[in-house]
Amino acid sequence: MRIDVVSIFPEYLAPLELSLIGKARQDGLVELNVHDLRTFTTDKHRTVDDTPYGGGAGMVMKPEPWAQALESVAGVREGTKPVLIVPSPAGERFTQALAYELAEEEQLVFACGRYEGIDERVIDWAQEHFTVRPVSLGDYVLNGGEVAVLAMVEAIGRLLPGVVGNPESLVEESHSDGLLEYPVYTKPSSWRDHEVPPVLLSGNHGKIAQWRRHEQFRRTAERRPDLLDNFDAGQLSRADRNALADLGYNVVDGRLRRRMESNTAQQTR
Ligand code: JFT
């Protein structure tokens, strides 16, 4: 996979050279290049921003340096449009499903803006040369696209064949089965008066698997009940259904439904 990132803060993307993605680069699995937007300006002050039409606070990124930068990195290849990912607070949410989708692409280009954003005509113009995807990392406010790109490139990069050593560690993790992960422990078994759950020391692999699954349901119900709203209950075993019943969930029409809380009985949680 080829990845190009355009930013006025190329140093911000330096961590991509390290760790997982750095290893993938050395092994030739990913070709990653970071480009400084200012090298595509033509005035002596290397201006990338200007005041917004219609008034309002802050500055807007000028369109021409972006067109020059994107034309330069696009790579003129027949019949293929690279995907242009534009981090934006107004983009579609970046999810694990989108990471899998983007990991299939031959070339990804990321356009990191700053200030109040990039002149919208860049997005319109770019549709001729790219498949444009405005994407948001999440519902909180960042100062620009760089941090979002660090997260997205790491999430996509680790899905490329050969980047994560053990493919099982990709399957067994959060969001691949729509549940949060079970808690993990290592030695010592007793630490500062906190014990490892005894079942994990039992050597009973069936019981361990059952306990871990129950912990996944328990944590998901507690921390991310929204994930259970769309959970496909068709895949659930009898043991799963019992675990969920303990947590107050029944299966109705292939979906999970929270049981009504009793007005009289004391809830123990
Ligand atoms: C924020 C952003 C993402 C993502 C791109 C550009 C400028 C600053 C800003 C903040 C609030 C409103 C502009 C960006 C993000 C996220 C992405 C830009 N800003 N308008 N914020 N939060 N999850 N991806 Cl360009």
Side-chain angles (χ1 to χ4, degrees), residues 237-269:
S237 68
R238 183 72 183 275
D240 286 342
R241 286 166 187 254
N242 288 335
L244 282 159
D246 287 350
L247 297 166
Y249 285 88
N250 290 334
V251 177
V252 181
D253 297 334
R255 289 187 169 251
L256 291 177
R257 180 181 292 177
R258 184 89 176 91
R259 269 201 309 277
M260 231 183 330
E261 293 199 26
S262 164
N263 293 325
T264 50
Q266 199 64 254
Q267 294 287 316
T268 49
R269 211 178 283 143

Side-chain angles (χ1 to χ4, degrees), residues 15-209:
L16 290 180
E17 323 254 323
L18 304 167
S19 74
L20 202 66
I21 300 304
K23 171 91 170 35
R25 271 179 94 180
Q26 278 172 15
D27 298 350
L29 300 164
V30 181
E31 189 187 327
L32 184 132
N33 288 106
V34 180
H35 311 267
D36 185 347
L37 181 69
R38 287 192 200 275
T39 64
F40 299 94
T41 58
T42 52
D43 65 313
K44 79 165 185 211
H45 294 111
R46 308 213 294 169
T47 312
V48 294
D49 63 330
D50 206 336
T51 54
Y53 276 120
M59 299 294 269
V60 172
M61 294 193 104
K62 293 169 67 63
E64 188 57 21
W66 278 109
Q68 294 296 332
L70 296 175
E71 277 178 337
S72 156
V73 303
V76 191
R77 279 149 50 254
E78 257 183 81
T80 61
K81 274 183 167 182
V83 174
L84 176 64
I85 299 153
V86 186
S88 164
E92 70 173 296
R93 276 288 287 277
F94 185 71
T95 60
Q96 190 63 18
L98 184 51
Y100 275 110
E101 193 183 317
L102 296 174
E104 299 291 314
E105 296 292 332
E106 191 50 51
Q107 185 182 9
L108 299 177
V109 179
F110 291 89
C112 301
R114 284 263 150 181
Y115 316 117
E116 299 306 307
I118 303 170
D119 187 309
E120 190 65 22
R121 293 169 294 180
V122 174
I123 309 303
D124 305 335
W125 164 84
Q127 324 260 358
E128 297 164 27
H129 308 273
F130 300 87
T131 301
V132 184
R133 304 286 294 261
V135 175
S136 170
L137 191 61
D139 294 341
Y140 35 78
V141 182
L142 304 172
N143 279 333
E146 285 81 4
V147 166
V149 168
L150 287 175
M152 290 190 266
V153 170
E154 185 158 312
I156 295 162
R158 63 195 295 285
L159 299 178
L160 302 176
V163 175
V164 167
N166 174 11
E168 271 180 30
S169 63
L170 285 180
V171 180
E172 247 196 39
E173 65 201 354
S174 277
H175 303 293
S176 60
D177 63 358
L179 297 173
L180 300 185
E181 285 176 46
Y182 52 78
V184 297
Y185 303 85
T186 187
K187 291 172 276 298
S189 65
S190 179
W191 175 78
R192 299 194 180 201
D193 289 336
H194 292 261
E195 309 301 319
V196 171
V199 63
L200 298 177
L201 312 176
S202 70
N204 183 335
H205 298 293
K207 274 190 76 177
I208 290 170

